[in-house]
Amino acid sequence: MTEVSEILMSVLSTIRVPRPGDRVHKDECAFSFASPESEGGLYVCMNSFLGFGSKYVDRHHAKTGQRAYLHITRTRKTQKEDETSTGSGDPPKKKPTRLAIGIEGGFDVDQEQYEEEVKVVLFPDRQEVTSEDLGSMPDVVRERVSLSMAGLQAADSVSHALQVQQWDGEVRQESKHAAELKQLDNGVKIPPSGWKCEVCDLQENIWMNLTDGKVLCGRRYFDGSGGNNHALLHYQQTGYPLAVKLGTITPDGADVYSYDEDDMVLDSKLPEHLSHFGIDMMTMEKTERTMTELEIAVNQRVGEWEVIQESGTTLRPLWGPGLTGMKNLGNSCYLNSVMQVLFTIPDFQTKYVSNIDKVFAEAPSDPTQDFKTQVAKLGYGLLSGEYSKPAPDPGDDPSTSTEPRGDQVGIAPRMFKALVGRGHPEFSTNRQQDAQEFLLHFINMVERNCRSGMNPSEAFRFLVEEKIVCQQSQKAKYTQRVDYIVQLPVPMDQATNMEELQEAERRREEAETTGAPPPAVTRAQIPFAACLAALSEPETLTDFWSSAVQAKTTATKTTRFASFPDHLVIQIKKFTFGLDWVPKKLDVSIDVPDTLDLSALRAMGQQPGEELLPEVAPPPLMTPDVEVKGILGSHGNEEDDSLYSPLLSPVLDDSTVSQLCEMGFPLEACRKAVYYTGNTGIDAAMNWVMGHMEDPDFAAPLVLPGSSSAPGTTPTESLPEEHLATIVSMGFSRDQATRALRATNNVLERAVDWIFSHLDDLESMDVSEGGRSEGGSEASREPPPGPRVRDGPGKYELFAFISHMGSSTMCGHYVCHIKKDQQWVIFNDQKVCASEKPPKDLGYLYFYRRVVE
C-alpha cells in the first residue's frame, strides 16, 4: 500500500458521503469570498462539508484535525468554447426562451461556462489524489472516497439551493371570456401585415380587439416607450375584454391579453376568433417580440448602467480598498446599498474588521451560522480591496469593449444574506424589500449579538422626547423613547412649483380624455426646511385623556431630540397610501443640504414653573351593567373569596378598533391598544401600537388583569420558578426575568425573545453579581439610568445616501452614493464609479455624521 493509501485508510472513518438534508458549502469559503473560481480554488471538508479558501484551510485543519478535503477549481471557458459545440463537446449555451428560472428554456442558473476539476487533498502536506489514483487503491478506500467525491459534486450547494427556486412566469390561464366571446359582424377584415394604430398611426406594439376588430396601439411603458394606451382606452369605453398582439401570431399561438382579468391569458378558440376578421393563423409569421420576450430582455438588462441615475454621463470605474462592488443575488440591491454605507462608519469597521483575526479564531465549529463571523467576513471583503478588481470581459477579448465597463469581480454575499434573512418572512426571500426596514432589521440583530462589549449600533441610537400639554389644565407630560432613524414627512402642499404641478395634472387628465400622449413627468419641488418644520411642529391630540381634569380634552404633542447621535439617519417618507389604500410613491425633489444644524430641535425638558400631569391611570373599562362577581383568583380559595379577582368585561371603542384594523394591524393588537390607552382616542391607541409592534405577544389575545393568560396556563401573577431560573442563567437579573415573563404570559420561549428585543429598557435596571438586582427598597433606589446613548452637538455633514427607483419599495432598484476622500462614489451592485452628478435631491435614506468643531 502506498503512503497516500495508508493515510486515506487511517482517515476513512472521517470521510462522509452527503445525505439528503446535509448543508454542502462548495461555492463559498466560510471566512472569505473565495470560491472555486478564485485563485487556489476551494477546499471542502469531507466530514463537515464546510468550504475554505486556500488562506483558511490550514486553520481549519489545525483546529479540527480533519485531513481530507475535496479541492474544487473552476476555470472560465473562452467565449468561443461557450458558443460552439467544438472543443469540450458540450452543446452551445442557449438563450432563455421562457420567463422562468430552473426549468427547461428558462434562465440558466448553472455555471456551465466553467471547466471544473476536482481532487482530494490530504493535509498537512497537501498530497493530491485524483479519481484515476483511486483506481489502484484498496476497494474499501476507493469505494468510500469515490462515493464522497461523487456525492459532493452532485449535491446542491447551500447558496444554490437558497438562490434558485423553480419559477415559471409564463403559466397562463384560459380566459373566462374565450369560450363565449361575442364578435361583431361588422365586415371588418384585417390584412396580414402593414398594421398601424387607427388613432395615432403608430406601427409598433399594435393590438387587435377580438370583439370588433379595432386595431390600436398598446400601453405606454414606464420609460416612455411602447404605445399611447389607445387599445386600453378602447376597452374602457366599450368593455370589449380580449385583444391579440398583431405580429406575434404564429400557427402555435399568439399573445392574448384580457383587460378585464388584467393578465396575459390563453384563448382556446383563437383560430376561430382570428378567422372572423380574415386572419389565417396557420399562414402567419412572427414579426414582433412577444410580451414574454420583452420581459426576458428587461430581466437580462437588470443591473446595466443605463437604467440607473447618471446614465447620461460616462462614469469612471474605481477599484481598491473600500471600493468593492457586491453582486446582485436577485433583488438584493437593498441589502447591498445598506451594507456599503454601514461599513464606511468607523464603529462597524472597528467592531468587525479591525480585530477580524480574533473574530475568526473564536468562531464556532460552523462559522457559516455565526453572526459575528459573517458580518466580519463581509466587512473585510468590502474594505480590504482583495475583491475590487475588474471583472474579466466575456471571452477575454478586449476588442469587444471600447471602454471600461465598471463591473468588478466583487463579492456575492450569499452566506450573509441567508443568515440575516433566516426565519424572516420577507428578507429570507428573493423579493425586493424596503432598505429602511432592512436597516432596522440589521440594527436589531446587531443589538442582540452585542450584549457585551462594543455595540456599533450606538452610533445611530438617540433619545426622542415627547412633550404633551393638556390644553385645559396647561399641565405637561414628558416621555422619552429610543430611536435610530428620523422619519421626515413630505408636506406636498409646500411645493414651490405648485402652479407647474397643477398645469401638469390638467394636461394629464386631458390626455386621458382625448387619448393623446401623456405629458412629461413634473416633479414636485419641496424645500428641506419645510420637511423639517413639518417634523417639529406641534401635533394636536383631540381625544387626549387628561389625568389633571379626569376627562378627555385637547392636547398638543411636541417632539424633540433628547440626544444627538454620532451618525444621523434621515428617511424621506416618500412611500404613502392613497385614498384607496393603494401604496404609492411621492415623486419629489428635495434640496437636502450637505450640512445640517439641528441644535434648535434639542429638547429642553421640564421648564421652571411648569406643572406635570398627575400619574393617574385612566378609569377602568367595564360594562355599566356588568355583575361583578368574585372568581377564584391567584391568591383565593373556595372558603374565602376576599382575595378574589373580579373579571371585568371591557367596553372598547369599536370605531377606534375598526380604524386600527383598517390600517392592517391584528384585531387583538387593536383591542389591546384601545384597552391600555383607556378609550382615549385613535392617536393614543396608534402610539401604543407603534410602541409595541415588536412585542412577541403583540397579536396575542387581550388578557385582563386577574384572569388566566389562556386556557390551561398559569395566571400572570404566578411566575414559574424554573422559567425564572432559566432566564437568570443567561446572565439577566431576576427582576429582568420577571419583567419578561409578565410581558409574555409566562411563555418561556416568548420571554427569551422579548428580553433580547428590549435590551435598551433592561439596561436601565441595576444588575449586580449573581444576576440579581441590588438590594434595597424601591423608595431608596435612585431613578434608573436611561439607555446608553451618545450625545454631542447637533451639527452634521452628509456622507452617504441611498436612492430608490421604482413605484414601490416592493419593486425597482436601489443604489447608494458615498463620499470618500471628498469624492462622491456611486455603488450600483457590482459597479463602482466616480459620481459626476450625485442626485442628492432624489434620495430615500440620508446618512449624516457629526461635525466636531
Side-chain angles (χ1 to χ4, degrees):
M1 225 191 309
T2 65
E3 178 186 358
V4 173
S5 296
E6 292 177 354
I7 295 174
L8 280 173
M9 181 67 78
S10 67
V11 301
L12 204 59
S13 62
T14 68
I15 297 178
R16 296 173 52 222
V17 179
R19 293 172 299 183
D22 281 338
R23 298 168 58 87
V24 178
H25 297 273
K26 63 177 185 179
D27 283 337
E28 182 180 346
C29 172
F31 293 111
S32 72
F33 292 94
S35 70
E37 296 89 53
S38 305
E39 184 177 352
L42 192 74
Y43 295 83
V44 180
C45 172
M46 299 181 77
N47 179 265
S48 66
F49 308 137
L50 293 171
F52 301 95
S54 57
K55 181 178 178 180
Y56 294 101
V57 64
D58 288 300
R59 178 201 299 258
H60 184 259
H61 160 68
K63 188 173 182 178
T64 64
Q66 177 64 28
R67 299 190 65 180
Y69 295 80
L70 185 69
H71 186 216
I72 308 174
T73 56
R74 295 194 192 117
T75 306
R76 188 183 183 91
K77 298 177 183 178
T78 64
Q79 192 172 32
K80 183 176 181 180
E81 287 177 350
D82 269 348
E83 295 181 352
T84 71
S85 58
T86 60
S88 66
D90 294 331
K93 185 177 178 180
K94 297 179 181 179
K95 291 185 177 181
T97 58
R98 295 182 64 83
L99 188 63
I101 293 175
I103 66 174
E104 180 66 26
F107 284 92
D108 183 12
V109 294
D110 293 324
Q111 296 175 326
E112 295 177 357
Q113 67 271 34
Y114 291 96
E115 292 280 6
E116 185 172 273
E117 180 184 351
V118 297
K119 57 192 172 188
V120 175
V121 176
L122 300 174
F123 280 72
D125 298 326
R126 301 205 179 202
Q127 294 156 297
E128 299 181 353
V129 181
T130 66
S131 298
E132 290 75 17
D133 296 333
L134 289 173
S136 59
M137 295 185 182
D139 292 346
V140 64
V141 172
R142 181 176 65 252
E143 182 177 348
R144 171 64 70 87
V145 176
S146 296
L147 284 174
S148 180
M149 291 178 68
L152 286 172
Q153 287 182 272
D156 270 343
S157 67
V158 171
S159 61
H160 185 278
L162 288 170
Q163 183 183 5
V164 177
Q165 300 172 358
Q166 190 177 82
W167 170 73
D168 192 343
E170 285 188 55
V171 175
R172 297 176 183 175
Q173 304 298 323
E174 178 78 6
S175 171
K176 64 183 180 181
H177 302 287
E180 304 295 334
L181 183 70
K182 294 183 179 179
Q183 294 186 284
L184 304 184
D185 291 322
N186 53 10
V188 172
K189 298 298 178 185
I190 305 300
S193 60
W195 314 289
K196 63 181 180 179
C197 176
E198 296 178 18
V199 177
C200 65
D201 290 342
L202 198 67
Q203 297 182 1
E204 294 181 347
N205 193 19
I206 303 300
W207 296 74
M208 183 192 77
N209 191 286
L210 288 173
T211 296
D212 61 4
K214 281 284 187 180
V215 177
L216 300 164
C217 61
R219 300 181 191 236
R220 177 175 291 271
Y221 302 144
F222 69 93
D223 60 355
S225 64
N228 292 319
N229 296 324
H230 289 138
L232 173 62
L233 290 170
H234 181 64
Y235 160 71
Q236 293 171 344
Q237 294 165 2
T238 64
Y240 300 155
L242 299 184
V244 61
K245 187 176 184 183
L246 298 176
T248 68
I249 304 171
T250 69
D252 297 322
D255 275 355
V256 178
Y257 189 82
S258 172
Y259 291 102
D260 177 50
E261 296 160 283
D262 194 22
D263 204 355
M264 300 297 295
V265 295
L266 296 176
D267 178 2
S268 57
K269 292 189 174 183
L270 185 60
E272 177 185 328
H273 293 155
L274 292 175
S275 177
H276 181 83
F277 297 107
I279 300 176
D280 184 356
M281 185 171 168
M282 301 307 294
T283 63
M284 297 295 291
E285 294 183 359
K286 181 172 164 296
T287 59
E288 276 210 38
R289 287 193 290 182
T290 65
M291 299 305 292
T292 295
E293 290 169 336
L294 288 171
E295 289 190 64
I296 289 173
V298 170
N299 277 277
Q300 287 179 311
R301 292 199 307 271
V302 166
E304 288 184 353
W305 206 245
E306 291 76 17
V307 301
I308 67 165
Q309 285 111 332
E310 302 191 61
S311 58
T313 57
T314 300
L315 301 177
R316 176 170 55 89
L318 299 174
W319 295 280
L323 299 169
T324 304
M326 297 174 70
K327 295 179 181 178
N328 193 317
L329 305 179
N331 288 324
S332 64
C333 51
Y334 68 91
L335 178 150
N336 294 352
S337 297
V338 168
M339 298 314 299
Q340 289 282 11
V341 174
L342 290 185
F343 274 108
T344 64
I345 295 173
D347 295 79
F348 285 88
Q349 295 176 355
T350 302
K351 174 71 177 181
Y352 294 109
V353 182
S354 297
N355 60 344
I356 192 169
D357 289 334
K358 183 173 183 290
V359 172
F360 286 174
E362 296 173 351
S365 58
D366 186 357
T368 68
Q369 302 301 301
D370 182 58
F371 180 80
K372 185 188 292 187
T373 300
Q374 292 309 310
V375 177
K377 166 184 162 180
L378 178 63
Y380 181 81
L382 291 175
L383 299 177
S384 66
E386 289 184 14
Y387 308 98
S388 182
K389 303 171 184 177
D393 205 14
D396 298 318
D397 183 2
S399 65
T400 62
S401 179
T402 58
E403 60 184 41
R405 299 185 307 135
D407 292 71
Q408 292 190 5
V409 172
I411 58 179
R414 296 186 183 95
M415 209 172 280
F416 172 81
K417 183 177 185 293
L419 182 62
V420 299
R422 186 176 59 194
H424 193 280
E426 292 298 332
F427 300 129
S428 60
T429 71
N430 282 341
R431 295 190 293 268
Q432 185 62 279
Q433 305 297 335
D434 187 339
Q436 180 256 1
E437 291 182 1
F438 176 75
L439 173 60
L440 288 178
H441 171 71
F442 182 73
I443 287 176
N444 186 44
M445 294 194 74
V446 172
E447 294 279 12
R448 294 186 182 204
N449 286 274
C450 293
R451 289 198 63 241
S452 61
M454 176 188 176
N455 183 348
S457 291
E458 290 178 12
F460 300 121
R461 191 190 298 164
F462 62 95
L463 286 176
V464 176
E465 179 189 274
E466 292 183 347
K467 175 183 177 181
I468 298 178
V469 178
C470 167
Q471 293 302 291
Q472 191 168 339
S473 66
Q474 290 302 307
K475 295 182 179 181
K477 175 184 179 181
Y478 289 87
T479 59
Q480 288 190 346
R481 59 178 170 83
V482 173
D483 216 331
Y484 297 87
I485 294 179
V486 177
Q487 294 184 312
L488 209 57
V490 180
M492 295 298 290
D493 58 347
Q494 298 295 310
T496 58
N497 59 336
M498 192 63 75
E499 292 184 2
E500 186 181 352
L501 291 171
Q502 292 171 347
E503 175 61 21
E505 179 63 18
R506 187 193 63 78
R507 293 200 307 269
R508 188 188 66 80
E509 292 177 353
E510 182 180 294
E512 286 185 355
T513 303
T514 62
V521 174
T522 301
R523 185 171 288 120
Q525 308 288 328
I526 310 293
F528 182 81
C531 299
L532 213 53
L535 174 72
S536 59
E537 66 183 10
E539 176 186 353
T540 301
L541 308 178
T542 56
D543 286 325
F544 176 72
W545 189 86
S546 171
S547 58
V549 300
Q550 290 290 300
K552 288 185 180 181
T553 183
T554 302
T556 58
K557 183 175 77 172
T558 307
T559 303
R560 292 290 184 268
F561 289 89
S563 69
F564 287 116
D566 288 350
H567 292 79
L568 183 72
V569 185
I570 295 179
Q571 175 196 15
I572 304 298
K573 296 179 69 175
K574 289 186 173 184
F575 299 98
T576 183
F577 290 93
L579 296 177
D580 54 0
W581 289 99
V582 175
K584 67 175 183 177
K585 179 180 177 181
L586 301 177
D587 192 8
V588 295
S589 170
I590 300 176
D591 58 338
V592 176
D594 288 318
T595 59
L596 191 59
D597 188 350
L598 300 177
S599 302
L601 295 182
R602 182 178 284 277
M604 305 302 293
Q606 185 179 358
Q607 298 301 294
E610 186 177 52
E611 290 188 62
L612 298 181
L613 284 164
E615 291 291 336
V616 179
L621 302 175
M622 65 185 76
T623 55
D625 57 349
V626 68
E627 182 181 359
V628 180
K629 297 181 180 179
I631 61 170
L632 189 61
S634 58
H635 305 288
N637 55 61
E638 293 182 359
E639 288 75 28
D640 178 12
D641 67 355
S642 61
L643 294 178
Y644 283 13
S645 301
L647 181 61
L648 306 179
S649 301
V651 176
L652 303 180
D653 185 342
D654 288 338
S655 63
T656 305
V657 174
S658 297
Q659 289 182 64
L660 292 173
C661 286
E662 288 173 358
M663 296 178 189
F665 300 112
L667 172 61
E668 288 298 333
C670 301
R671 296 182 73 243
K672 285 194 286 188
V674 175
Y675 175 80
Y676 288 118
T677 55
N679 272 349
T680 53
I682 185 66
D683 292 318
M686 189 65 188
N687 287 336
W688 188 95
V689 167
M690 300 309 293
H692 293 77
M693 287 181 65
E694 298 300 322
D695 292 358
D697 60 342
F698 178 64
L702 171 62
V703 179
L704 301 181
S707 67
S708 296
S709 58
T713 62
T714 312
T716 55
E717 287 79 1
S718 176
L719 299 177
E721 192 62 36
E722 64 274 15
H723 289 3
L724 285 169
T726 300
I727 298 177
V728 169
S729 70
M730 298 179 183
F732 296 99
S733 72
R734 187 177 181 86
D735 285 350
Q736 292 169 336
T738 299
R739 186 174 174 185
L741 286 168
R742 289 194 185 281
T744 56
N745 296 331
N746 293 344
V747 179
L748 179 60
E749 292 78 10
R750 288 165 57 194
V752 172
D753 187 64
W754 185 94
I755 207 168
F756 278 105
S757 62
H758 290 74
L759 294 177
D760 291 334
D761 300 333
L762 297 174
E763 284 174 0
S764 65
M765 302 178 69
D766 296 326
V767 180
S768 64
E769 287 188 1
R772 292 178 177 269
S773 296
E774 300 256 1
S777 66
E778 292 292 332
S780 67
R781 293 182 186 175
E782 292 294 323
R788 188 184 300 116
V789 294
R790 305 172 189 174
D791 199 5
K795 296 183 178 181
Y796 295 92
E797 64 178 357
L798 182 69
F799 74 93
F801 62 96
I802 294 174
S803 305
H804 173 268
M805 291 158 283
S807 59
S808 164
T809 54
M810 298 299 103
C811 63
H813 186 56
Y814 286 97
V815 299
C816 70
H817 288 72
I818 303 175
K819 200 171 188 178
K820 292 180 177 280
D821 299 325
Q822 302 305 309
Q823 164 70 55
W824 281 102
V825 178
I826 182 170
F827 291 81
N828 177 32
D829 292 335
Q830 278 178 263
K831 301 179 177 67
V832 181
C833 293
S835 174
E836 299 294 332
K837 298 177 181 178
K840 289 181 286 187
D841 60 323
L842 301 179
Y844 175 47
L845 296 176
Y846 292 88
F847 296 79
Y848 285 84
R849 58 186 164 218
R850 194 195 315 277
V851 176
V852 181
E853 295 179 350

